[in-house]
Amino acid sequence: MEKNIFGLNKDELTAELSFLKLPAYRIGQILEWIYRKDAADFSVMSNLPKNLRVSLSERFCINRAEVLRELVSADKLTAKFLLKVAPDVAVETVLMRHDYGNSLCVSTQAGCAMGCAFCASAQNGLQRSLTTGEILAQLVFVQNFLQREGQKISTIVIMGMGEPLVNYDNVLKFIRLVHEPYALNLGYRNITLSTSGIVPNIYRLAEENLPVNLAISLHAPTDELRSRLMPVNKKYPLVELLAAGKLYGERTKRRVTYEYILIKGVNDSFDMARQLAKLMGGQLAAVNIIPVNHVEEKGFLPPSPQRVAEFQKYLESRGVTATIRREMGAEVNAACGQLRGRWQ
């Protein structure tokens, strides 16, 4: 069986093809075809000698993503893709068009094991973590989709299905790979990683010396409520999570975003806002308020727009930088897990 080389970086590809004794510029040509020219097989690599193309095709393959379903919002600003990245694995990725550029939300696992009460991704459990190539395949598919319009991906949010810091090694390799000039050539500051709070790997990420933006899913200002909403809190309670977030901000000089899904009658009271403001004291941080996406099986509802605005205003009155996430793609099930759940 041919070996897949999609997802390899320059050093790994050089080692894999060492038996061919290729000059460095040939490795560069192959990388460009794979990551920038949408090559699905070696036969189209027209600047390679024919005998080399044949030799490569006999030993290797280039596994790409195949679209199973595509949903586009009425305003054309959000597109959700269900992509098959392996014979039995499908994941979701979401393209969001903003006035400042195109943002892509990628998945790092097929399904999720975190079990957050409000999230559709974990409804069918975790199938497995994705490889670096399977994460990258989502990006390359959408990049090629945009290139037909003369556009490109501006920012990446690693915020789709799964917990990125559980799949740490593959996610870090993906981040480094998209930064390479032969891949997407994307600045680290244009990448945001979102975690439910895997504390040891937040510390580990801080040591990587990469100015990647960190978003931490908080969603409650007390351990009791957060443990009900997010089981991970039982292992890594708030005091540990906030200490890790504080260190990450200090080490990277990047403002940490604490995501706060606002749920009607659950965590939207002024007392909750008061406790949240207290937690943010001393942090290089901001709060991103997210009215909950309605997932039929979960039963949670968003507060009224007025309540959301009041919650934000209260935080700001206590000196906390707070924004409200603009809802995009509700009619295309842009909340992760819903489209894959129906496919399964």
Side-chain angles (χ1 to χ4, degrees), residues 153-165:
I153 295 168
S154 307
T155 58
I156 298 170
V157 286
I158 307 172
M159 200 178 291
M161 300 175 61
E163 168 50 62
L165 293 187

Side-chain angles (χ1 to χ4, degrees), residues 22-23 25-34 37 39 41-53 56:
L22 298 176
Y25 79 91
R26 287 291 186 210
I27 300 294
Q29 289 173 327
I30 296 169
L31 289 167
E32 184 179 16
W33 277 108
I34 293 172
K37 291 187 175 180
D41 61 70
F42 300 100
S43 65
V44 301
M45 299 182 181
S46 54
N47 56 355
L48 300 185
K50 185 176 180 180
N51 63 335
L52 175 57
R53 283 179 272 163
L56 290 170

Side-chain angles (χ1 to χ4, degrees), residues 318-336:
R318 296 301 180 95
V320 178
T321 301
T323 57
I324 300 172
R325 181 182 295 177
R326 175 187 171 197
E327 184 179 42
M328 296 183 70
E331 76 268 35
V332 296
N333 305 127
C336 289

Side-chain angles (χ1 to χ4, degrees), residues 291-324:
V292 69
N293 279 290
H294 177 58
V295 178
E296 188 174 341
E297 298 84 352
K298 300 296 183 180
F300 293 128
L301 295 173
S304 68
Q306 179 182 353
R307 187 63 164 180
V308 175
E310 290 171 347
F311 197 92
Q312 178 198 29
K313 186 176 180 180
Y314 183 92
L315 290 176
E316 291 181 332
S317 74
R318 296 301 180 95
V320 178
T321 301
T323 57
I324 300 172

Side-chain angles (χ1 to χ4, degrees), residues 212-232:
V212 172
N213 302 301
L214 181 66
I216 295 175
S217 295
L218 191 64
H219 309 323
T222 68
D223 279 317
E224 187 276 330
L225 178 57
R226 191 168 189 268
S227 292
R228 281 199 286 125
L229 295 175
M230 303 180 68
V232 67

